[in-house]
Amino acid sequence: MENFVLANSGHNRDDEASKFGMWLFLFTELLLFGGLFLVYTIYRYLNSEAFLHASYELDVVMGTVNTVVLLTSSLTVALSITALQKGNIKLTQGLLVATILFALTFLVIKYFEWSAKFEHGLFPGMDHYDHLIPAEKMFFFLYFFMTGLHGLHVIVGGVLLGFVMWDIKKKKTTPDNFVYLENGGLYWHLVDIIWIFLFPLFYLIH
Amino acid sequence: MSVALAQPENFYQAKRGLFSWIFSTDHKRIGLLYFYAIISFFLVAMALGFLMRLELIAPGETVMGAKTYNQVFTLHGVIMIFLFLIPSVPAFFGNFLLPLMIGTDDVAFPKLNLFSWWLYVLGGIFALLTLVVGDGPADTGWTFYAPYSVKTGTNVTLAVLAAFILGFSSILTGLNFIVTIHRLRAPKMGWFQMPLFAWALYATAWIQLLATPVIGITLLMIIAERVFGVGLFDPSLGGDPILYQHLFWIYSHPAVYIMVLPGMGLISEMIPTFAKRTIFGYKAIAYSSLAIAFIGYFVWGHHMFTSGMSGPARVIFSVLTFLVAVPSAIKVFNWVATLYKGAIDVKTPLLFSLAFIFQFLLGGLTGLVIGALATDIHLHDTYFVVGHFHYVMFGGAGFAFFGALHYWYGKIWGKMYNEKRAQIAFWLMFIGFNTLYFPMLVLGLMGMPRRYYDYLERFETLNVISTVGSWILITGILLMIINLIVSRKSGKVAPRNPWGGTTMEWQTPSPPPLHNFDATPVVPEGNPYDHKNNITEKA
């Protein structure tokens, strides 16, 4: 028997709904990190001396390079959306490849940064770490926790953009239907903006 | 477009087989998947509650020791809150009814909806795994207070992980509902033509979305603390346990409104139908849902009056707590005013609604007693608190859930329940509930502390009464469930609109066809509860 179908169906394409949903999801991500920022702020306030002392261990040069890398990747992803809107699929894919390469660069630099900390024995349970005062331990733990969670988001964002590229290749995401790319881009900007807060909090404040 | 088909296939008949259920993106099937999981968990936690009351029938150890008792009340709390109360109304009734009520065929993101059910199942499995692996279920209480939760050898990590996953599931449901309500209302339906249940879900969805991430990250911090041995909240390692309490309650107090607001929405649906009268103060009820959601964010500190906070902070939290009672009272007054001069038809859903008003009132007013600073010092961590939140959560949200189960039973399963048995079950539940929990309020005033498996002899009489109450209540619940199961086979076939309801879900056959409607539903003009505009046939 034929089924009656309503005009305002939940199965219709609705780009505005998709973007709305993505924005709501980004709010939840901000709040997720918000809890950590709150904890960081309170312990920084309570132990400003120790946090300052511990922060000298971090590599400002590597942090700065990573900031530049991530900001540039936000630019390329934004450009890729415009490129797709203008119908230039080759350029879109090129810009997305660039974005993913920037993401990988970010992770490689992060890897070297973390390795240096491991060599200095600054991870919980390691030799040097165990001899630190509690507040310094807190700093390093928050550093690993927050940049680690952020790194996880970089990976998720990169994989997401990879799926978008696949969709473009399969012609499911097209110059007329690019909300998937837009949402991927939105997520990527979130990854970027969280780093914009992490960077000064850990590396720059004196 | 609007040609009605004579006998459309209902959504059960449309597809068959296990996979057509567990991989379904149909909101009705997902709602039912939630229902069967939720009710199973409810029965497990009810059994744990029964055991706790049995332990407390006499002073000293009767059926379990101290540690087991701690684990039992923790698991009871974790299941009842994260697996029953939080998902019960939104994930089951919300999923099933919201698209029907606003005249569409599904939620905005059907696949995401299925995903959130799978997350729920995964979280449930983790919660149950704590029973069988390692050192048994957590013994911290559902609040997982640090530093004990960091130090105990029981399965806190697994339980906390379960709560994290369940929180994620709840976020996605909320997100889905917000977008659904914004984008998929029937073309002619304005915001103030939405049923009040949709309003309640809308307010709840915002809380789910904006509060849950905070508990998510807090629970991750507990896991990190346990795994890496660092002291985020452990004072012996430089952490601050009060900070944990703040972070926990920043979510968990709003979560109380996740549990009760949708229940209030259900009551707002049932009362006008059985009073045969337009709801009194439609807009006031709609706005009060938003007000509760909003003010509810800023009252979390009242859980911590005795755990160390500055004087001004305590006064502010206390004042805000009193403020949140105002929109709750607005709802109660409007429900009672709706009944005034109505043509009241006393059916089981109405009985549950009236019990809700009575019990919610008691729960709400006792909440003010502990929201006041001076009395809270005396009553904090006593049985008064246990009585209070069971009156709100079970006497409120739980009774709304069971009432709604009768009200929409015909719509969901296509048969009518047996009215006589349902009423007997209701009275057993009502009497059992009050016999069980009212003595707790008195015991708390007498000074009996909560969360102990033992007590002084002078508390014995009231504890015996309370335990007997638990037996009456459980008998009622089991009778209700048996009645509902039996009625599925032997009940009369449900018409489209058995109660003369005015909202749009009554315009479609019971159970609804796959795409919800067999013709474009008619959006009632003006107020959705105007019985003069009731365009659907009765019986």
Side-chain angles (χ1 to χ4, degrees), chain A residues 1-12 14-22 24-25 27-29 31-36 38-39 42-43 46-47 123-125 129 134-135 137-138 141-142 145 149, chain B residues 1 5 7-9 25 103-110 168 171 175 178-179 182-187 206 209-210 213 217 220-221 224 228 230-232 237-240 243 247 514-515 517-521:
Chain A
M1 192 178 287
E2 276 289 300
N3 280 311
F4 174 79
V5 180
L6 287 161
N8 58 323
S9 163
H11 297 272
N12 291 349
D14 184 351
D15 291 353
E16 205 163 315
S18 308
K19 269 193 277 183
F20 188 10
M22 192 66 199
L24 291 176
F25 182 70
F27 282 145
T28 71
E29 289 274 20
L31 282 159
L32 190 80
F33 277 95
L36 284 169
L38 183 70
V39 169
I42 285 166
Y43 287 135
L46 292 174
N47 317 291
F123 194 75
Y129 182 89
K137 284 184 182 173
M138 197 101 78
F141 183 68
L142 283 171
F145 196 172
L149 193 62
Chain B
M1 280 292 276
L5 299 165
Q7 275 286 305
E9 216 179 20
T25 52
T104 180
D105 67 347
D106 212 324
V107 291
F109 307 117
F168 198 34
I171 288 176
L175 188 155
I178 292 176
V179 179
H182 274 272
R183 300 292 303 170
L184 289 175
R185 277 174 289 130
W206 278 107
L209 196 80
L210 296 181
I217 197 67
L220 282 188
M221 284 189 252
F228 297 111
V230 288
L232 285 177
L237 296 170
D240 184 355
L243 180 58
L247 285 168
L514 182 64
H515 298 298
F517 292 94
D518 51 357
T520 307

Side-chain angles (χ1 to χ4, degrees), chain B residues 9 17 22 56 78 82 84 139 149 194 292 322 346 374 386 401 421 441 484 490 494-495 509 513:
Chain B
E9 216 179 20
I22 62 172
L56 293 172
V78 168
F82 293 112
F84 174 65
D139 59 349
S149 60
M194 278 204 309
I292 289 174
F322 276 73
V346 184
V386 181
F401 179 81
R421 280 197 295 259
L441 296 173
L484 292 180
S490 64

Side-chain angles (χ1 to χ4, degrees), chain B residues 31-363:
Chain B
L32 282 167
L33 287 174
Y34 266 114
F35 171 71
Y36 292 117
I38 285 166
I39 204 77
S40 313
F41 282 116
F42 171 80
L43 291 173
V44 172
M46 182 186 84
L48 294 171
F50 166 78
L51 289 174
M52 276 150 67
R53 278 319 316 171
L54 203 58
E55 166 58 34
L56 293 172
I57 197 168
E61 186 173 325
T62 46
V63 294
M64 63 181 95
K67 189 186 171 197
T68 314
Y69 183 81
N70 291 348
Q71 292 175 314
V72 169
F73 77 64
T74 303
L75 200 60
H76 172 82
V78 168
I79 294 180
M80 280 298 193
I81 285 169
F82 293 112
L83 289 153
F84 174 65
L85 280 166
I86 287 180
S88 63
V89 180
F92 169 44
F93 287 115
N95 255 322
F96 198 98
L97 294 171
L98 178 66
L100 287 163
M101 280 183 162
I102 63 173
T104 180
D105 67 347
D106 212 324
V107 291
F109 307 117
K111 283 182 202 154
L112 194 68
N113 203 16
L114 178 67
F115 180 60
S116 50
W117 180 75
W118 275 103
L119 282 178
Y120 173 85
V121 171
L122 188 69
I125 290 172
F126 277 33
L128 291 180
L129 268 182
T130 62
L131 280 168
V132 287
V133 300
D135 204 11
D139 59 349
T140 56
W142 79 279
T143 50
F144 304 116
Y145 267 13
Y148 184 64
S149 60
V150 181
K151 293 185 165 166
T152 173
T154 50
N155 282 325
V156 171
T157 308
L158 208 53
V160 161
L161 197 62
F164 176 79
I165 296 168
L166 291 167
F168 198 34
S169 156
S170 166
I171 288 176
L172 294 179
T173 303
L175 188 155
N176 223 332
F177 286 179
I178 292 176
V179 179
T180 305
I181 290 171
H182 274 272
R183 300 292 303 170
L184 289 175
R185 277 174 289 130
K188 283 179 188 158
M189 181 182 267
W191 281 89
F192 289 104
Q193 284 164 303
M194 278 204 309
L196 286 164
F197 180 54
W199 269 106
L201 284 176
Y202 185 69
T204 309
W206 278 107
I207 313 178
Q208 286 175 295
L209 196 80
L210 296 181
T212 318
V214 182
I215 189 85
I217 197 67
T218 309
L219 296 176
L220 282 188
M221 284 189 252
I222 288 282
I223 295 178
E225 237 188 299
R226 285 178 69 86
V227 173
F228 297 111
V230 288
L232 285 177
F233 303 122
D234 182 353
S236 63
L237 296 170
D240 184 355
I242 303 289
L243 180 58
Y244 173 80
Q245 294 186 17
H246 277 293
L247 285 168
F248 180 81
W249 289 113
I250 284 174
Y251 162 74
S252 295
H253 194 79
V256 169
Y257 301 108
I258 298 179
M259 303 177 221
V260 80
L261 261 178
M264 292 169 156
L266 296 173
I267 301 298
S268 305
E269 296 297 322
M270 292 187 273
I271 285 188
T273 299
F274 291 99
K276 296 276 173 284
R277 195 175 171 294
T278 307
I279 194 141
F280 188 88
Y282 170 88
K283 279 196 178 176
I285 295 180
Y287 281 129
S288 66
S289 290
L290 297 178
I292 289 174
F294 182 73
I295 306 172
Y297 274 105
F298 304 105
V299 302
W300 78 84
H302 67 214
H303 294 269
M304 301 164 58
F305 284 158
T306 61
S307 52
M309 246 199 302
S310 70
R314 280 191 285 176
V315 171
I316 290 167
F317 278 125
S318 181
V319 170
L320 287 168
T321 305
F322 276 73
L323 266 185
V324 85
V326 175
S328 313
I330 288 175
K331 284 184 192 288
V332 171
F333 286 127
N334 281 314
W335 292 326
V336 175
T338 305
L339 291 166
Y340 179 68
K341 287 193 176 169
I344 296 172
D345 186 10
V346 184
K347 290 286 178 355
T348 311
L350 183 76
L351 289 172
F352 274 102
S353 305
L354 297 177
F356 174 99
I357 295 178
F358 172 71
Q359 284 154 184
F360 177 74
L361 208 63
L362 257 171

